[in-house]
Amino acid sequence: MTSGEAVSGLQRVILNERARLLRFLAARGAGDEAEDVLHDLWQRVATAPAEPIADTVSYLFRAAENLMRDRRRSSVSRARRQQDWHEVSVPEVEAPKGERSLIAREQLRAVEAALAALGPRPGHVFRRYRLDGVGQAVIAGELGISLSSVEKDLQKAYRALAQLKATFDAD
């Protein structure tokens, strides 16, 4: 733990009690981080003002326990922050309730009516392309029409739905 600098009296005690301190920290849940906590203790002791201490070993064990407590609090606080952030940033998928469900059904009826108003072919082309995932060329072959006609039918449907969406957004 020394890097060439002068070692204080408390640091000498840490070196002498190193094994006991590591066991103490491990017993209090430090696990693999016991060495890190001991290093933090070393740093804290190095920067502490030199004051007389009656029982240096008890002082160091108490300081080690306080460091463990600080780390535990920090860990709990970090976990709470992450949970809070997760709850805020990831919206829950909720089933539509009451009014929202009614509005969704009304909007679906309006979409179906808008597609029906275009005639049977544009509605069929739109459903096959957008809902069934069938390619435009395949749809053209199924209906015996040109690819250009499929594209025009899709454009009609998109325009009608865009206008409908504008009315939904205005409400």
Short mmCIF file of all heavy atoms in Angstrom, two decimals, residues 90-118:
data_model
loop_
_atom_site.label_atom_id
_atom_site.label_comp_id
_atom_site.label_asym_id
_atom_site.label_seq_id
_atom_site.Cartn_x
_atom_site.Cartn_y
_atom_site.Cartn_z
N VAL A 90 -38.83 4.22 -18.87
CA VAL A 90 -39.45 3.10 -19.57
C VAL A 90 -40.93 3.06 -19.18
O VAL A 90 -41.27 2.59 -18.10
CB VAL A 90 -38.77 1.76 -19.19
CG1 VAL A 90 -39.43 0.61 -19.91
CG2 VAL A 90 -37.29 1.81 -19.51
N PRO A 91 -41.78 3.58 -20.05
CA PRO A 91 -43.19 3.60 -19.69
C PRO A 91 -43.76 2.19 -19.64
O PRO A 91 -43.36 1.32 -20.40
CB PRO A 91 -43.84 4.39 -20.82
CG PRO A 91 -42.92 4.25 -21.97
CD PRO A 91 -41.54 4.10 -21.38
N GLU A 92 -44.64 1.97 -18.72
CA GLU A 92 -45.29 0.68 -18.60
C GLU A 92 -46.27 0.52 -19.74
O GLU A 92 -46.92 1.47 -20.15
CB GLU A 92 -46.04 0.57 -17.27
CG GLU A 92 -45.14 0.51 -16.07
CD GLU A 92 -45.94 0.31 -14.80
OE1 GLU A 92 -47.05 -0.26 -14.86
OE2 GLU A 92 -45.45 0.72 -13.76
N VAL A 93 -46.37 -0.69 -20.24
CA VAL A 93 -47.35 -0.97 -21.27
C VAL A 93 -48.65 -1.26 -20.52
O VAL A 93 -48.73 -2.22 -19.77
CB VAL A 93 -46.93 -2.18 -22.12
CG1 VAL A 93 -47.99 -2.51 -23.13
CG2 VAL A 93 -45.60 -1.92 -22.78
N GLU A 94 -49.58 -0.40 -20.73
CA GLU A 94 -50.83 -0.57 -20.02
C GLU A 94 -51.95 -0.79 -21.02
O GLU A 94 -51.95 -0.26 -22.11
CB GLU A 94 -51.12 0.62 -19.12
CG GLU A 94 -51.16 1.94 -19.84
CD GLU A 94 -51.34 3.11 -18.89
OE1 GLU A 94 -50.50 3.27 -18.01
OE2 GLU A 94 -52.34 3.82 -19.06
N ALA A 95 -52.88 -1.58 -20.62
CA ALA A 95 -54.03 -1.83 -21.48
C ALA A 95 -54.91 -0.59 -21.49
O ALA A 95 -55.05 0.10 -20.48
CB ALA A 95 -54.81 -3.02 -20.92
N PRO A 96 -55.46 -0.30 -22.66
CA PRO A 96 -56.36 0.86 -22.72
C PRO A 96 -57.52 0.67 -21.75
O PRO A 96 -58.07 -0.41 -21.63
CB PRO A 96 -56.85 0.86 -24.17
CG PRO A 96 -55.90 0.01 -24.93
CD PRO A 96 -55.31 -0.95 -23.95
N LYS A 97 -57.86 1.72 -21.07
CA LYS A 97 -58.92 1.65 -20.09
C LYS A 97 -60.01 2.64 -20.45
O LYS A 97 -59.73 3.71 -20.96
CB LYS A 97 -58.39 1.97 -18.69
CG LYS A 97 -57.33 1.03 -18.22
CD LYS A 97 -56.78 1.46 -16.89
CE LYS A 97 -55.62 0.55 -16.53
NZ LYS A 97 -54.65 1.18 -15.71
N GLY A 98 -61.21 2.27 -20.14
CA GLY A 98 -62.35 3.15 -20.24
C GLY A 98 -62.38 4.04 -21.46
O GLY A 98 -62.58 3.59 -22.59
N GLU A 99 -62.16 5.32 -21.24
CA GLU A 99 -62.26 6.33 -22.28
C GLU A 99 -61.24 6.10 -23.40
O GLU A 99 -61.56 6.24 -24.57
CB GLU A 99 -62.06 7.71 -21.67
CG GLU A 99 -62.28 8.84 -22.63
CD GLU A 99 -62.12 10.20 -21.98
OE1 GLU A 99 -62.31 10.31 -20.75
OE2 GLU A 99 -61.79 11.14 -22.71
N ARG A 100 -60.03 5.70 -23.03
CA ARG A 100 -59.00 5.47 -24.05
C ARG A 100 -59.40 4.33 -24.98
O ARG A 100 -59.18 4.39 -26.19
CB ARG A 100 -57.65 5.16 -23.39
CG ARG A 100 -57.03 6.38 -22.72
CD ARG A 100 -55.71 6.08 -22.09
NE ARG A 100 -54.78 5.55 -23.07
CZ ARG A 100 -53.73 4.83 -22.78
NH1 ARG A 100 -53.44 4.56 -21.53
NH2 ARG A 100 -52.94 4.39 -23.72
N SER A 101 -60.00 3.29 -24.42
CA SER A 101 -60.45 2.16 -25.22
C SER A 101 -61.56 2.59 -26.16
O SER A 101 -61.59 2.21 -27.34
CB SER A 101 -60.91 1.04 -24.29
OG SER A 101 -61.34 -0.05 -25.04
N LEU A 102 -62.49 3.37 -25.67
CA LEU A 102 -63.59 3.87 -26.48
C LEU A 102 -63.08 4.73 -27.63
O LEU A 102 -63.50 4.58 -28.78
CB LEU A 102 -64.57 4.67 -25.61
CG LEU A 102 -65.76 5.29 -26.32
CD1 LEU A 102 -66.66 4.20 -26.88
CD2 LEU A 102 -66.53 6.18 -25.37
N ILE A 103 -62.14 5.63 -27.33
CA ILE A 103 -61.56 6.50 -28.36
C ILE A 103 -60.84 5.66 -29.42
O ILE A 103 -60.99 5.91 -30.62
CB ILE A 103 -60.60 7.53 -27.73
CG1 ILE A 103 -61.40 8.54 -26.90
CG2 ILE A 103 -59.76 8.23 -28.79
CD1 ILE A 103 -60.55 9.45 -26.05
N ALA A 104 -60.10 4.65 -28.98
CA ALA A 104 -59.38 3.79 -29.93
C ALA A 104 -60.36 3.06 -30.86
O ALA A 104 -60.11 2.97 -32.07
CB ALA A 104 -58.50 2.80 -29.18
N ARG A 105 -61.46 2.55 -30.31
CA ARG A 105 -62.45 1.87 -31.15
C ARG A 105 -63.08 2.84 -32.15
O ARG A 105 -63.30 2.50 -33.31
CB ARG A 105 -63.53 1.22 -30.28
CG ARG A 105 -63.08 -0.11 -29.67
CD ARG A 105 -64.26 -0.90 -29.13
NE ARG A 105 -65.00 -0.21 -28.09
CZ ARG A 105 -64.74 -0.29 -26.78
NH1 ARG A 105 -63.75 -1.06 -26.37
NH2 ARG A 105 -65.47 0.36 -25.90
N GLU A 106 -63.38 4.05 -31.70
CA GLU A 106 -63.97 5.05 -32.60
C GLU A 106 -63.00 5.43 -33.71
O GLU A 106 -63.40 5.57 -34.87
CB GLU A 106 -64.37 6.30 -31.81
CG GLU A 106 -65.59 6.10 -30.94
CD GLU A 106 -65.92 7.33 -30.09
OE1 GLU A 106 -65.20 8.35 -30.18
OE2 GLU A 106 -66.90 7.26 -29.34
N GLN A 107 -61.72 5.57 -33.38
CA GLN A 107 -60.73 5.91 -34.40
C GLN A 107 -60.56 4.77 -35.40
O GLN A 107 -60.41 5.00 -36.60
CB GLN A 107 -59.40 6.28 -33.75
CG GLN A 107 -59.42 7.62 -33.06
CD GLN A 107 -58.10 7.95 -32.38
OE1 GLN A 107 -57.26 7.10 -32.14
NE2 GLN A 107 -57.92 9.23 -32.05
N LEU A 108 -60.61 3.53 -34.92
CA LEU A 108 -60.51 2.38 -35.82
C LEU A 108 -61.69 2.36 -36.78
O LEU A 108 -61.52 2.13 -37.98
CB LEU A 108 -60.44 1.07 -35.02
CG LEU A 108 -60.36 -0.21 -35.85
CD1 LEU A 108 -59.12 -0.19 -36.74
CD2 LEU A 108 -60.35 -1.42 -34.94
N ARG A 109 -62.89 2.63 -36.28
CA ARG A 109 -64.06 2.70 -37.16
C ARG A 109 -63.89 3.81 -38.20
O ARG A 109 -64.25 3.63 -39.37
CB ARG A 109 -65.34 2.95 -36.33
CG ARG A 109 -65.87 1.69 -35.72
CD ARG A 109 -67.28 1.90 -35.13
NE ARG A 109 -67.35 1.13 -33.90
CZ ARG A 109 -67.35 1.64 -32.67
NH1 ARG A 109 -67.37 2.93 -32.49
NH2 ARG A 109 -67.38 0.85 -31.63
N ALA A 110 -63.34 4.94 -37.78
CA ALA A 110 -63.13 6.06 -38.71
C ALA A 110 -62.11 5.67 -39.79
O ALA A 110 -62.29 6.02 -40.97
CB ALA A 110 -62.66 7.30 -37.95
N VAL A 111 -61.07 4.94 -39.43
CA VAL A 111 -60.07 4.49 -40.40
C VAL A 111 -60.72 3.53 -41.39
O VAL A 111 -60.52 3.63 -42.61
CB VAL A 111 -58.86 3.82 -39.69
CG1 VAL A 111 -57.99 3.06 -40.68
CG2 VAL A 111 -58.06 4.86 -38.93
N GLU A 112 -61.51 2.58 -40.88
CA GLU A 112 -62.18 1.63 -41.76
C GLU A 112 -63.14 2.35 -42.70
O GLU A 112 -63.23 2.01 -43.89
CB GLU A 112 -62.92 0.57 -40.93
CG GLU A 112 -61.98 -0.38 -40.22
CD GLU A 112 -62.70 -1.30 -39.23
OE1 GLU A 112 -63.88 -1.04 -38.90
OE2 GLU A 112 -62.07 -2.27 -38.79
N ALA A 113 -63.85 3.34 -42.20
CA ALA A 113 -64.78 4.10 -43.05
C ALA A 113 -64.02 4.89 -44.11
O ALA A 113 -64.46 4.96 -45.27
CB ALA A 113 -65.62 5.03 -42.18
N ALA A 114 -62.88 5.48 -43.74
CA ALA A 114 -62.10 6.26 -44.71
C ALA A 114 -61.58 5.36 -45.82
O ALA A 114 -61.59 5.74 -46.99
CB ALA A 114 -60.95 6.96 -44.00
N LEU A 115 -61.11 4.15 -45.46
CA LEU A 115 -60.64 3.22 -46.48
C LEU A 115 -61.78 2.73 -47.36
O LEU A 115 -61.65 2.59 -48.57
CB LEU A 115 -59.90 2.05 -45.83
CG LEU A 115 -58.54 2.35 -45.21
CD1 LEU A 115 -57.98 1.13 -44.49
CD2 LEU A 115 -57.56 2.87 -46.24
N ALA A 116 -62.95 2.48 -46.75
CA ALA A 116 -64.11 2.01 -47.52
C ALA A 116 -64.59 3.08 -48.49
O ALA A 116 -65.05 2.76 -49.60
CB ALA A 116 -65.24 1.61 -46.57
N ALA A 117 -64.47 4.36 -48.08
CA ALA A 117 -64.90 5.46 -48.94
C ALA A 117 -64.05 5.55 -50.21
O ALA A 117 -64.50 6.11 -51.21
CB ALA A 117 -64.85 6.78 -48.16
N LEU A 118 -62.85 5.02 -50.19
CA LEU A 118 -61.98 5.06 -51.36
C LEU A 118 -62.39 4.04 -52.42
O LEU A 118 -61.93 4.10 -53.55
CB LEU A 118 -60.52 4.81 -50.96
CG LEU A 118 -59.89 5.82 -50.01
CD1 LEU A 118 -58.50 5.35 -49.61
CD2 LEU A 118 -59.83 7.18 -50.66
#
